[in-house]
Amino acid sequence: MEEKINNDVEVDLDQVKEMDKESNYRKLVGWAGGVILSISVAMSLFQLYTSGFGLLQARLQRSIHLAFAMSLIFLLFPATKKSPKNKFTIVDVLFAIVGVVVNLYIVFNFESLAYRSGAPTTMDIIMAVLAVIVVLEAGRRVIGIDLPILGVIFLAYAYLGPYLPFLAHRGYSINRIAEYMYLTLEGIYSTPLAVAATYVFLFVLFGVLAEKTGLGQLFIDIAMAVAGKSTGGPAKVSVISSGLMGSINGSSIANTVTTGAFTIPLMKKMGYQPRFAGAVEAAASTGGQIMPPIMGAAAFIMAEFLGISYSTIIFAAIIPALLYYLAVGTMVHLEAAKHDLKGLERVPHIFNILKERGYLLVPLVVIIWQLVGGFTPLSAGFYGSLSAMIIYFIELLIVSRKEGLDLIKGIKMWLMDMRDCLSKGAISSLGVTASCAAVGFIVGTCTLTGLGLTFANKTISLAQTIVDFFAGIGLTFMATPSVHLFFTLVFTMIACTILGSGIPTTATYIILAMIAAPAIESLGVNPLAAHLFVLYFGVVADLTPPVALAAYAGAGIAGSNPFLTGFTAVKLALAGFVVPFIFVYNPVLLLQDVVLVEAIIPITTAVIGIIAMGAGAVGYLKTNAGIIERVLLFLSAFLLLIPGWKSDLAGIFLLLLIFTYQMMKKKKEVIIDMV
């Protein structure tokens, strides 16, 4: 599909979508397409049945899920760029068979494996080695080479422990490592795969079904009705619609391409620079992974790691997510005001939209009701998907009646569409499954060797060294626990950003949750705040050059320079780099164990601080801001965002001072223009 973006640039949106490796799979037809359709539909039906009528024993559930995924991955994803795109090869089939066999080996030998736990046979070890190979290869095909390489490094670390000068440990034999990774629930089949094989699959399927019903277009139309006429309306439409879409999508690149195909050309038409238009969409779409109620796959894994309910994470994430979108929206508004960019002349009325298509929100309401009502995410995903199927069935019956089609044809259409949705849902889940299986080597190595604790201690020691250095040169006021924590957070942020630039958010979160979050927690930080900190920086890595996939997707649609678009997106998503520090130092913003009244003042000052930060970043409040004004705006934001009533008062005073000065300056500019 080609869409004309402006007079000079034409963009093939299919090429843009290929930036997301998880979407770059073979589109098979004929008998090969039939094989894929059968496997993928069977996989979705298995997941729906077990989620609705009872999960299998943990190892069985995960093994069968991974067997389905392995067969699809090797048949759908080419081994190399030169591999055939319209058919699978003998090598693909062999890998698929091995991928299925190593998983079904666990299923068919379930009881005997349990009895000989700790005493594997030769065949067990052979299967374990084959499992390691196929999981690494599956990860390479779906998500790229970075995560498999990291997996190999961690496996090598488990073996070479005694010979390492840094982070040394006792070391383990190849047999022991293979057994641990394959025959226990600590490696390939650990918590990440458990979540992928249950909650995540259902919410991926729900996203496909919701898109089929037209919920995505409804979000765009609602955003258009709410913000379309305001200053910089098209950009605000992008922010709101991407936030809504991302809350049920969880993929920054897919979100950027889906909503960006509509919003980016609209922004450019209204006068926004191409790089800014692409950056707005990328920043807004990336935030979807931290926006409740569904967020991304990492949030479900977080609930399992912390042993808390998913609804707890939703409540904790809501204020930080809103602050993120407030920051992006503020900068969009100020950028529009700075360049006098108007809104749209005609927009739909929100009452009419909800009257005609408000029923499409029913599945989302069902999910929210389930999550808030104390039901499990598994139940929420199941009933949300089921309600989306029912809504679509009703839609088709209404359309069939209007077009004079009989009931049987309407039912046949529904069955065909549901079959396609089940297939697409299974295929869309492969990236998460491959990531969670491959990251199991990292999880397993951390638990086998104690790497997480060792890394945490090293990080804390490094931060302490820096604090001691400052104290040694006379800066004794820097030798405080809060400064020590700050440097620990900075090191964690850097690690998250580097890792997240090469591997998916879910894998980034899992790795850092194992080796970095413990360092933050050991300094007295609330565990939920520590894990959300890690998640945030794993998310914003999608915007951080040089590997800023969401920004590059936005640049592809906008026809702009990808690198400049990435830096602009980072500026717009500045709150994504600041908000995590805020809720670590001021956990009241996570709404945990606090009375709502106690949170009003911290939330209010955070909101004002975010606005001040946006004004400083854009260089505009009521009129253009000079360098000194921008510095003072950032200082005001800093004072407002750190906890404490004294700093809040100083920040508000400074912001009012700048606001008054800008009002006077603007009035003077108007008088000069009149003269």
Side-chain angles (χ1 to χ4, degrees), residues 432-470:
V432 174
T433 298
S435 297
C436 290
V439 84
F441 299 130
I442 297 166
V443 173
T445 299
C446 288
T447 56
L448 182 64
T449 65
L451 176 63
L453 182 60
T454 305
F455 187 89
N457 291 335
K458 296 290 184 183
T459 304
I460 293 170
S461 298
L462 180 59
Q464 187 62 53
T465 301
I466 294 176
V467 171
D468 292 342
F469 169 78
F470 283 120

Side-chain angles (χ1 to χ4, degrees), residues 177-352:
I177 294 169
E179 175 204 358
Y180 194 79
M181 297 299 165
Y182 176 63
L183 295 177
T184 73
L185 296 181
E186 301 295 334
I188 295 171
Y189 304 103
S190 57
T191 298
L193 186 63
V195 176
T198 50
Y199 314 142
V200 173
F201 186 95
L202 286 177
F203 282 99
V204 169
L205 179 60
F206 171 77
V208 172
L209 291 167
E211 183 182 346
K212 188 67 176 178
T213 64
L215 185 59
Q217 186 59 48
L218 176 63
F219 284 156
I220 292 175
D221 291 343
I222 289 174
M224 185 78 73
V226 170
K229 281 189 174 183
S230 62
T231 301
K236 291 177 182 175
V237 170
S238 172
V239 174
I240 296 172
S241 61
S242 296
L244 292 172
M245 182 74 80
S247 69
I248 65 167
N249 185 307
S251 169
S252 4
I253 300 172
N255 197 5
T256 301
V257 172
T258 302
T259 55
F262 169 78
T263 59
I264 291 175
L266 193 59
M267 281 188 271
K268 292 177 64 178
K269 183 179 179 181
M270 298 304 295
Y272 281 96
Q273 294 180 351
R275 67 177 174 83
F276 191 82
V280 167
E281 182 58 49
S285 295
T286 298
Q289 294 183 79
I290 55 173
M291 174 59 79
I294 297 177
M295 303 169 69
F300 295 101
I301 297 173
M302 186 188 302
E304 292 294 315
F305 276 170
L306 294 175
I308 59 178
S309 67
Y310 184 69
S311 59
T312 302
I313 292 178
I314 290 176
F315 284 117
I318 187 78
I319 297 300
L322 291 176
L323 289 175
Y324 176 90
Y325 276 99
L326 173 66
V328 178
T330 296
M331 284 188 256
V332 160
H333 174 80
L334 294 175
E335 184 77 18
K338 183 177 183 179
H339 297 287
D340 195 28
L341 301 176
K342 307 298 182 185
L344 301 170
E345 293 182 4
R346 298 179 62 186
V347 298
H349 197 286
I350 190 166
F351 177 77
N352 293 333

Side-chain angles (χ1 to χ4, degrees), residues 6 20 29 38 58 116 128 145 149 179 204 241 245 266 315 340-341 349 351 419 466 499 579 616 620 668:
N6 58 28
D20 184 5
V29 296
S38 300
R116 62 173 182 264
I145 192 66
I149 287 178
E179 175 204 358
V204 169
S241 61
M245 182 74 80
L266 193 59
F315 284 117
D340 195 28
L341 301 176
H349 197 286
F351 177 77
R419 179 201 65 184
I466 294 176
L499 271 176
V579 167
Y620 187 95
K668 185 177 180 181

